[in-house]
Amino acid sequence: NQLSDRIDVRKGDGLTVVSQDPIDTVVICGMGGGLIRSILAEGKTYLTHVKRLVLQPNVDSHYLREWLVMNSFNLVTEEILKEDGHIYEILIADKVLERVALSPKDILFGPFLRRESSAVFKEKWQREYDNVVRVIDNMTLAKQINEEKLARYQQRKQWIREVLESA
């Protein structure tokens, strides 16, 4: 796209590919939120000059929102889209001097996505609600029920129901 004078694309293991150069933007896409979070955590020393992160997890975006808050990055926008039957979230965050808090619901749903409450957002969370209901049903069939884990899933189910009903 004739952008080579403005973009330096690198491929490598985590953030080690940026160890030598002061870069201002990092884009990590196409893997789970847990893996992206571990790449950011392991490569934190390489983020010194980074002003912006563009992250596109395939799943578990809440892990990234939590990491961003803990590491003084502030979400500036989020997008949710559906392509070829898959739902993707894109998170854009800027480095800030002070930590900006997000509520537990904002970490789970995304503050921008929850506020916008698009059709794709509702579809994603309806799927997630159905999955959480299945998990709870299976957990209650166990001989030994992990009450703490069950309580976490029940809380998540309640939050999802609230978000879907208010949308």
Side-chain angles (χ1 to χ4, degrees):
N1 288 325
Q2 301 173 351
L3 296 172
S4 59
D5 62 323
R6 291 178 273 170
I7 298 174
D8 181 12
V9 179
R10 300 175 189 194
K11 182 179 177 184
D13 184 18
L15 294 175
T16 60
V17 295
V18 299
S19 64
Q20 307 278 323
D21 304 310
I23 59 164
D24 64 1
T25 304
V26 170
V27 179
I28 306 175
C29 302
M31 55 193 80
L35 180 55
I36 294 174
R37 180 184 173 134
S38 67
I39 289 169
L40 292 169
E42 290 171 15
K44 191 174 173 183
T45 58
Y46 303 121
L47 297 175
T48 307
H49 301 288
V50 171
K51 295 177 185 158
R52 175 164 280 184
L53 296 173
V54 179
L55 309 171
Q56 184 274 299
N58 293 341
V59 294
D60 297 329
S61 56
H62 61 282
Y63 291 138
L64 296 177
R65 289 187 196 95
E66 186 176 66
W67 187 91
L68 293 168
V69 167
M70 299 304 295
N71 290 278
S72 299
F73 279 88
N74 184 36
L75 277 172
V76 293
T77 193
E78 300 171 292
E79 295 288 330
I80 189 167
L81 57 101
K82 183 176 179 180
E83 184 175 299
D84 296 330
H86 300 283
I87 295 176
Y88 301 100
E89 293 181 33
I90 301 166
L91 289 68
I92 300 176
D94 288 345
K95 184 76 171 167
V96 291
L97 296 177
E98 294 181 22
R99 189 181 294 177
V100 178
L102 289 177
S103 72
K105 284 184 180 179
D106 282 341
I107 287 174
L108 181 61
F109 298 106
F112 295 93
L113 301 179
R114 184 165 62 132
R115 205 169 21 249
E116 182 182 307
S117 194
S118 69
V120 176
F121 175 84
K122 293 173 196 170
E123 179 181 346
K124 173 193 172 159
W125 287 105
Q126 184 61 59
R127 285 183 194 175
E128 186 64 23
Y129 181 83
D130 296 342
N131 185 50
V132 167
V133 168
R134 267 192 306 278
V135 170
I136 290 171
D137 289 346
N138 288 333
M139 288 176 76
T140 58
L141 296 174
K143 290 179 182 178
Q144 187 100 346
I145 297 175
N146 181 333
E147 296 294 336
E148 184 179 320
K149 189 173 182 179
L150 180 59
R152 281 196 314 268
Y153 273 93
Q154 288 172 331
Q155 176 69 72
R156 187 175 185 139
K157 177 184 168 187
Q158 178 185 336
W159 285 357
I160 296 170
R161 187 173 52 239
E162 290 171 5
V163 164
L164 288 172
E165 288 173 357
S166 69

